[in-house]
Amino acid sequence: MTAYPGAVSTPPLAPLLQRATAHLAPVMPLLTELGELFTGAGHEIALVGGPVRDAFLGRESPDIDLTTSASPDETEALLKTWGSATWDMGRAFGTIGARRGATVVEVTTYRADAYEPESRKPVVAFGTSLEEDLVRRDFAVNAMALRLPSMEFVDPYDGLADLAERRLRTPSAPEVSFSDDPLRMMRAARFAAQLGFHVEPSAEAAMRDMADRLSIISAERVRDELTKLLLAPSPRAGLALLVETGLADQVLPELPALKLEVDEHHRHKDVYEHSLTVLEQAIALEGPRTVPGLGAVEPVAAPDLVLRLAALLHDIGKPATRTFETGGGVSFHHHEMVGAKMTRKRLRELRFDKDTVKQVSRLVELHLRFHGYGGGEWTDSAVRRYVTDAGPLLSRLHLLTRSDTTTRNRRKAERLSRTYDDLEARIAKLLAEEELAAVRPELDGNQIAETLGIRPGPVLGRAYKHLLAVRLDQGVIGEDAARAELLRWWSEQPESADV
């Protein structure tokens, strides 16, 4: 193994390797078979990267990543004799996929590629040895391999020592590694969130110095790394690393911008810290949940990307709406509306899908709505509008709103929680009585057109919206009353004179 400053001695390899091999027991027959298949044809093959790291950590790994000396064409030919299906996952990049039953493997030819200074795509070059392939990996903990079928452990860059110290260090000089693939800097933040690892000082320094290099990476790849980070058990650590190194300025500049804004209630050092706390509290509420007086309520599945994005971004409109009030106060009027617009713009630039953009921005727009509830003075009409405006996002809005309470005043926090318990109970009652989840006017479009003697068009749309507002304000009034109200409304419209 290569020595490096600060290296630590790791426990004896034999028991660690035995434990890792035992963790791989469910896939050992497959690994052995593939190993014998490739070596029998004169090629090398090894299990590499995340699956090896996770085996030592005792974690389940969703992937079976293999690397080989065989060319893509040779790999494909061999896998066709082994699996029920093969496909080209990126022949130019050396990767062939194969399936046997429910098992999927990816086999990649040894690589030695890098990015050109201004290119978004790597210049592909195939390597000639396992060690050459491992040195181009992102971190030493991912540059460990198990040769197949012998299960010989290969660790030329002391990844096992790093694993013991929960440290992220690049196999080559960090400046070289991050220049070759700048997305590795974001992976460092993702692993901090997923695994609780810390970045080795020289690598973190390189991240600070090279943050703007991330600009050459496609928005789709950046989005995917950010998504994995947010879905990790502890996103705060990864997000903090992005902000501290300047990477967030390239990826999500609205987040570090929050550090400049003081929360209007002076409960936190800044809105940035408040937002990270809201995110953590939202995560804690994912999954099964009960409400006093209601029992079990509809859960938000864990992890939920829409909820987590909304929690992180809910206050990004504050910098643009900050106003200094007489007497020294600070206000952020309509920051939820501005924030919703900013959220749409940022998520679109990151190439998130339309549904995610729509749902997250809508939650940001609605996140302050509850604060008009006060001590429970809302009418049933207001509660209906709350439910209807939230639509299918209601369960997420419940969690976002509850999470947005970060006061250190225990009595105030308990009062707000009880007040929201009351709102949820009222919502549940109205949902049961009136089926608000599918609220519609009591007359459909055909009935409205027949009653007014009009054809489909903008006027019919306005009439429909009016009856919907009546339904929300008054609840169920019956078709006869709805028709009478429609005719009253129609008598006040200028178009009625033309019919």
Side-chain angles (χ1 to χ4, degrees):
M1 293 184 181
T2 304
Y4 62 92
V8 299
S9 59
T10 56
L13 176 60
L16 289 176
L17 186 57
Q18 185 177 19
R19 187 168 62 191
T21 303
H23 190 76
L24 292 168
V27 294
M28 279 303 298
L30 175 150
L31 296 177
T32 299
E33 186 176 357
L34 285 171
E36 292 174 346
L37 177 66
F38 275 73
T39 57
H43 306 295
E44 297 177 358
I45 188 169
L47 183 69
V48 69
V52 178
R53 177 201 68 219
D54 289 343
F56 280 105
L57 290 174
R59 298 175 74 245
E60 295 298 322
S61 182
D63 304 313
I64 300 177
D65 294 332
L66 302 160
T67 186
T68 181
S69 60
S71 70
D73 289 344
E74 291 169 332
T75 295
E76 184 177 43
L78 289 169
L79 290 177
K80 282 183 176 179
T81 69
W82 172 83
S84 57
T86 63
W87 58 93
D88 186 342
M89 300 188 68
R91 186 180 303 272
F93 296 95
T95 303
I96 304 296
R99 175 186 291 111
R100 176 192 279 181
T103 301
V104 175
V105 300
E106 296 180 12
V107 184
T108 302
T109 302
Y110 292 156
R111 293 267 292 274
D113 48 58
Y115 278 76
E116 292 288 354
E118 301 303 326
S119 174
R120 288 177 180 265
K121 296 181 180 180
V123 176
V124 178
F126 295 131
T128 59
S129 70
L130 178 58
E131 288 73 14
E132 186 180 11
D133 180 87
L134 294 177
V135 76
R136 62 163 291 277
R137 304 264 163 179
D138 50 9
F139 300 102
V141 294
N142 294 329
M144 301 182 292
L146 291 170
R147 290 188 186 275
L148 303 177
S150 67
M151 297 299 289
E152 174 194 351
F153 180 54
V154 181
D155 184 21
Y157 307 106
D158 293 297
L160 195 58
D162 284 0
L163 208 60
E165 290 294 299
R166 309 189 77 79
R167 173 175 50 220
L168 293 173
R169 181 179 53 85
T170 56
S172 57
E175 296 79 8
V176 174
S177 180
F178 296 154
S179 180
D180 284 349
D181 186 352
L183 195 66
R184 290 170 179 169
M185 296 185 284
M186 282 203 68
R187 288 199 196 112
R190 190 237 299 180
F191 289 134
Q194 283 183 333
L195 304 174
F197 285 13
H198 67 275
V199 181
E200 186 266 339
S202 67
E204 184 171 341
M207 291 168 66
R208 296 176 189 273
D209 292 341
M210 303 177 65
D212 60 355
R213 178 89 170 121
L214 194 62
S215 63
I216 73 166
I217 301 299
S218 69
E220 290 81 2
R221 295 186 71 206
V222 169
R223 174 204 62 208
D224 290 346
E225 281 300 324
L226 181 62
T227 296
K228 292 174 184 177
L229 188 162
L230 286 171
L231 295 179
S234 301
R236 177 190 275 264
L239 293 168
L241 185 59
L242 290 180
V243 171
E244 291 163 6
T245 57
L247 288 168
D249 292 329
Q250 305 293 324
V251 176
L252 199 62
E254 295 81 3
L255 184 59
L258 294 175
K259 294 174 73 71
L260 302 177
E261 305 304 318
V262 178
D263 184 89
E264 69 265 39
H265 300 295
H266 302 284
R267 297 175 296 188
H268 298 273
K269 181 178 179 181
D270 51 38
V271 180
Y272 165 74
E273 290 292 336
H274 165 75
S275 298
L276 293 183
T277 300
V278 171
L279 172 60
E280 289 181 316
Q281 293 184 165
I283 291 171
L285 291 174
E286 291 174 340
R289 188 171 65 90
T290 60
V291 173
L294 286 178
V297 296
E298 183 179 359
V300 173
D304 187 83
L305 179 63
V306 169
L307 174 63
R308 295 186 182 198
L309 280 168
L312 182 65
L313 302 176
H314 75 284
D315 274 347
I316 62 171
K318 283 188 171 180
T321 58
R322 179 174 60 169
T323 301
F324 294 100
E325 305 287 357
T326 303
V330 180
S331 65
F332 303 93
H333 296 304
H334 305 301
H335 76 268
E336 72 281 11
M337 305 301 293
V338 174
K341 183 177 180 180
M342 293 171 63
T343 295
R344 281 192 292 272
K345 182 176 185 293
R346 176 55 53 197
L347 296 185
R348 285 169 179 165
E349 289 182 355
L350 287 169
R351 303 293 191 270
F352 278 95
D353 63 274
K354 291 181 180 179
D355 284 344
T356 298
V357 174
K358 180 179 179 181
Q359 291 170 359
V360 175
S361 59
R362 184 61 168 159
L363 284 172
V364 172
E365 182 180 339
L366 293 173
H367 83 272
L368 286 184
R369 188 70 64 86
F370 162 71
H371 294 286
Y373 189 67
E377 300 89 353
W378 275 5
T379 62
D380 283 353
S381 170
V383 175
R384 291 187 193 100
R385 289 186 180 278
Y386 188 83
V387 174
T388 304
D389 288 347
L393 297 171
L394 182 62
S395 293
R396 292 185 175 107
L397 182 59
H398 287 331
L399 301 198
L400 177 60
T401 303
R402 288 180 179 275
S403 302
D404 198 21
T405 300
T406 56
T407 177
R408 293 188 178 95
N409 185 320
R410 182 176 177 182
R411 183 175 298 177
K412 182 178 180 181
E414 290 175 348
R415 176 175 57 80
L416 287 169
S417 180
R418 288 194 302 270
T419 302
Y420 206 87
D421 289 345
D422 174 68
L423 176 58
E424 281 208 64
R426 289 186 64 187
I427 288 172
K429 181 174 182 292
L430 285 172
L431 283 172
E433 292 176 350
E434 303 183 17
E435 299 181 357
L436 285 180
V439 65
R440 296 289 188 275
E442 292 183 78
L443 300 180
D444 62 25
N446 290 331
Q447 290 172 306
I448 293 172
E450 182 180 350
T451 300
L452 301 182
I454 60 176
R455 296 180 178 181
V459 176
L460 179 58
R462 281 168 38 215
Y464 184 92
K465 287 181 179 179
H466 176 71
L467 283 188
L468 178 59
V470 171
R471 171 71 172 81
L472 293 172
D473 289 338
Q474 301 180 34
V476 177
I477 60 175
E479 286 191 12
D480 290 343
R483 187 171 285 105
E485 170 56 29
L486 176 63
L487 291 171
R488 184 205 63 76
W489 171 85
W490 181 239
S491 69
E492 299 175 352
Q493 306 307 305
E495 294 89 349
S496 63
D498 299 327
V499 176

